[in-house]
Amino acid sequence: MASIRDVAKLAGVSPATVSRVMNGTANVTEEKREKVLRAISETDFVPNEVARTLFKKSSKTIGFIIPSIQNPYFTQMADVIDRAAKELGFRILLCNVEHDLDRERSAIQMLISANADGIIASNNSELQHELSQCEIPVVILDSLFRTKDVNAYIYCNYYQGGMMAAEHLHKCGCRKIVCIKGPQQLFTAQARYQGYVDFCEDNGIEQHSIECDYDFHAGMAVTEELLSSYPDVDGIIACNDIVAISIYKILHKRNISVPEQIQLIGFDDVHLSSLISPELTTIHQPIEEMGRKAISIICDPEGLEKRGKQFVFPVHLIERETTCMKKLL
Amino acid sequence: MASIRDVAKLAGVSPATVSRVMNGTANVTEEKREKVLRAISETDFVPNEVARTLFKKSSKTIGFIIPSIQNPYFTQMADVIDRAAKELGFRILLCNVEHDLDRERSAIQMLISANADGIIASNNSELQHELSQCEIPVVILDSLFRTKDVNAYIYCNYYQGGMMAAEHLHKCGCRKIVCIKGPQQLFTAQARYQGYVDFCEDNGIEQHSIECDYDFHAGMAVTEELLSSYPDVDGIIACNDIVAISIYKILHKRNISVPEQIQLIGFDDVHLSSLISPELTTIHQPIEEMGRKAISIICDPEGLEKRGKQFVFPVHLIERETTCMKKLL
């Protein structure tokens, strides 16, 4: 994307002159003015950036880049963010990128050129450079970059969640616990899995795991694989609720009863986890509080500092119908 | 939103002069130029509209206004639209409006000022005036306005779907069918309900109905009401799949077996309907084809004509596990 400096270079003037032409505030010769306008046209200096420099008005718009709109965790987060933004007079632009780096990069550029007041992004540390270079506030959900040059990080204690899930299944009497870990390039998935690993090590329990994407197609395929590899499994930790629901589906089809034969625990506590039957035992993330915090950071003028402050939210276990403490007795 | 005419009026010049100042193409006196720039600053003539007039470049962006991001029908549609747009080099901006007219109005304005190449909207005929006035292509999903001044309408034969649902339950041996009809101000809900009504009239069947919003909270509340009002119900038509899932939840809690005691049919055939157990019998909408058609209309230069052409897609019944033809035997 061309910058004001590129335009200046092409026009053979200083960036300050480009700025004066765009602001129309000081004397610029007609010749220079025409050169600048021509250079703006010839570069891919995006129109809205012209406008932005021209007026510096807030667009009262915040962009939320959604890793996948098919994941109810993100649509629930989008709903919270939407409501919180509306209360403060802002609106939300959603960009669904389906874990595609090009789409995410294009979304960032578009939000900047649409003069957004801030960006909430999630998951993709590969774009940390682009996001840290943004001049507008950036809040990262569910991830942690090596660079601290964004405004804030908001995530949960996923490590603790992974431990809790393993501990709960162990307490429920499971002796062969398999962890379906999420994509290990993602912070959320790494931390959950590490919690499981450490609980097993601390308690002398054998570790078994299979990697799986955060979606239901992957969840169903992985469950078939799991049942072949571990025919004696009696506890499954799913990387998220939607994967847990797809695991349940396969178990139900095979007439394996839950929780009597295999106990099952999800992660996220999306609405759906209590809407299905049986209701899913899961690790609750405070989606409402996390989304509201993201908005408050962007809308608060103090939030503009690029300190990379971390807001870590606690998780907790919600016992429902797919696990069963009775086995202990 | 201020227009170029408002700016011209305030500056005391003609719209053509405003245009010349913005284009920088012809001679305008310095005095007039300053007046115009001041007027642009003083009105709420949005910066990006200035930019738009200035360069008239395509932003390669299409806006999709989502009635509710909590409804999986719309997130699935968003996913299709996203993929189809990407194949043609466009990107999608999503605006979730949660059935709120102000938010929808604001989304329309924002998409115009962000220089979108088109808008796909759904459901809200109250904004038909705003949408017909848009200078960019507009495609309406799942609705039909009185005015024909948009580019196209894309919807399914919902009426036929309502008939099919009633006919199927009747064939499955249900004698007391209750229709949980969607919000009757919506085209989709009206047409489905009318299909049910006409099937009942044609076949001398008693009609019973309760109105319900298209979401799971409403679905659960309405099911409690339904079971009190119609203790002998043996067939339920849900207004959509998510409501069908919430109906199943209440029936399951009350130990009412599906389909043995009550048969249940949904509408939409979202992914979730085959992911839950038991899998939901439902009326399939061709979401993939509908979404692709919307994008092809906006991206096709021929699509610019404002003819209000209607594309009506067929629906069909998907028999799964919540209804049971065996009762016939």
Side-chain angles (χ1 to χ4, degrees), chain A residues 83-274:
Chain A
R83 281 186 280 114
K86 201 197 167 197
E87 285 166 23
L88 296 173
F90 285 75
R91 64 191 156 198
I92 296 292
L93 269 185
L94 300 171
C95 304
N96 176 36
V97 296
E98 292 300 330
H99 303 292
D100 176 327
L101 277 184
D102 285 340
R103 275 165 80 173
E104 184 154 1
R105 196 172 285 118
S106 154
I108 296 168
Q109 287 174 358
M110 189 269 304
L111 288 169
I112 292 170
S113 71
N115 200 15
D117 292 282
I119 293 177
I120 301 171
S122 179
N123 267 339
N124 246 324
S125 57
E126 297 189 54
L127 291 178
Q128 51 185 294
H129 178 73
E130 280 85 342
L131 286 164
S132 337
Q133 296 299 308
C134 286
E135 283 174 22
I136 56 177
V138 170
V139 172
I140 304 296
L141 279 176
D142 302 330
S143 198
L144 194 57
F145 298 167
R146 229 165 293 136
T147 163
K148 291 285 179 284
D149 285 346
V150 301
N151 300 82
Y153 294 93
I154 293 177
Y155 58 94
C156 280
N157 194 337
Y158 301 116
Y159 174 80
Q160 189 195 13
M163 275 212 149
M164 275 177 183
E167 186 186 12
H168 178 65
L169 289 185
H170 186 65
K171 275 192 180 166
C172 286
C174 297
R175 289 298 156 250
K176 183 106 177 190
I177 301 172
V178 180
C179 178
I180 297 192
K181 57 187 177 185
Q184 291 298 297
Q185 72 278 18
L186 298 181
F187 172 73
T188 52
Q190 277 163 19
R192 291 171 201 196
Y193 176 57
Q194 196 57 49
Y196 161 80
V197 166
D198 288 358
F199 179 82
C200 289
E201 284 189 356
D202 293 351
N203 292 276
I205 299 169
E206 258 183 68
Q207 293 169 37
H208 311 283
S209 66
I210 303 184
E211 192 162 325
C212 179
D213 277 345
Y214 282 145
D215 78 80
F216 69 87
H217 290 297
M220 288 196 285
V222 157
T223 308
E224 301 283 5
E225 188 190 333
L226 182 155
L227 293 172
S228 314
S229 310
Y230 308 102
D232 54 342
V233 57
D234 61 359
I236 302 177
I237 299 174
C239 50
N240 71 5
D241 289 342
I242 215 74
V243 168
I245 291 169
S246 53
I247 293 168
Y248 177 77
K249 182 180 180 55
I250 301 292
L251 299 179
H252 180 78
K253 271 203 167 169
R254 295 201 178 196
N255 289 316
I256 298 172
S257 60
V258 176
E260 293 78 5
Q261 289 171 273
I262 295 183
Q263 303 195 50
L264 178 60
I265 185 166
F267 210 110
D268 291 347
D269 193 26
V270 295
H271 296 319
L272 202 57
S273 67
S274 58

Side-chain angles (χ1 to χ4, degrees), chain A residues 2 6-7 9-11 34-46, chain B residues 55 57:
Chain A
D6 300 323
V7 172
K9 203 172 164 190
L10 187 66
E34 297 223 323
K35 273 186 185 164
V36 168
L37 288 170
R38 201 158 47 233
I40 289 174
S41 291
E42 285 169 11
T43 60
D44 60 348
F45 190 48
V46 287
Chain B
F55 298 105
K57 276 181 189 167

Side-chain angles (χ1 to χ4, degrees), chain A residues 20-27 30 33-34 37 40-52 54-55 57 59 61 66 69-70 72 74-76 78-80 82-83 86 91-98 100 102-103 105-107 109-111 113-115 216-217 220 242 245-246 248-249 252-253 271-272 274-279 321, chain B residues 20-27 30 33-34 37 40-52 54-55 57 59 61 66 69-70 72 74-76 78-80 82-83 86 91-98 100 102-103 105-107 109-111 113-115 216-217 220 242 245-246 248-249 252-253 271-272 274-279 321:
Chain A
R20 274 196 293 274
V21 169
M22 290 191 301
N23 286 313
T25 47
N27 279 340
E30 193 57 26
R33 208 178 131 264
E34 297 223 323
L37 288 170
I40 289 174
S41 291
E42 285 169 11
T43 60
D44 60 348
F45 190 48
V46 287
N48 298 345
E49 284 237 312
V50 177
R52 188 169 176 232
L54 201 52
F55 298 106
K57 275 181 188 168
S59 65
T61 302
I66 304 182
I69 200 170
Q70 299 276 24
F74 292 116
T75 54
Q76 239 172 274
D79 181 55
V80 171
D82 242 343
R83 281 186 280 114
K86 201 197 167 197
R91 64 191 156 198
I92 296 292
L93 269 185
L94 300 171
C95 304
N96 176 36
V97 296
E98 292 300 330
D100 176 327
D102 285 340
R103 275 165 80 173
R105 196 172 285 118
S106 154
Q109 287 174 358
M110 189 269 304
L111 288 169
S113 71
N115 200 15
F216 69 87
H217 290 297
M220 288 196 285
I242 215 74
I245 291 169
S246 53
Y248 177 77
K249 182 180 180 55
H252 180 78
K253 271 203 167 169
H271 296 319
L272 202 57
S274 58
L275 190 61
I276 57 155
S277 316
E279 296 182 3
E321 298 167 0
Chain B
R20 274 196 293 271
V21 170
M22 291 191 301
N23 286 314
T25 46
N27 280 338
E30 193 56 26
R33 208 179 131 263
E34 298 223 323
L37 288 170
I40 289 174
S41 292
E42 284 168 12
T43 59
D44 60 348
F45 188 49
V46 287
N48 300 345
E49 284 238 310
V50 177
R52 190 171 175 230
L54 202 50
F55 298 105
K57 276 181 189 167
S59 65
T61 301
I66 304 182
I69 200 169
Q70 300 276 25
F74 293 116
T75 54
Q76 239 172 275
D79 181 55
V80 172
D82 242 344
R83 281 185 281 115
K86 200 197 167 198
R91 64 192 156 199
I92 296 293
L93 269 184
L94 301 171
C95 305
N96 175 37
V97 297
E98 291 299 330
D100 176 327
D102 285 339
R103 277 165 78 172
R105 195 172 285 118
S106 154
Q109 286 174 359
M110 189 270 304
L111 289 169
S113 71
N115 198 14
F216 68 87
H217 290 299
M220 288 196 284
I242 214 73
I245 292 169
S246 53
Y248 176 78
K249 182 179 180 57
H252 180 78
K253 271 204 166 168
H271 294 321
L272 202 57
S274 58
L275 189 61
I276 56 155
S277 317
E279 297 182 3
E321 299 167 0

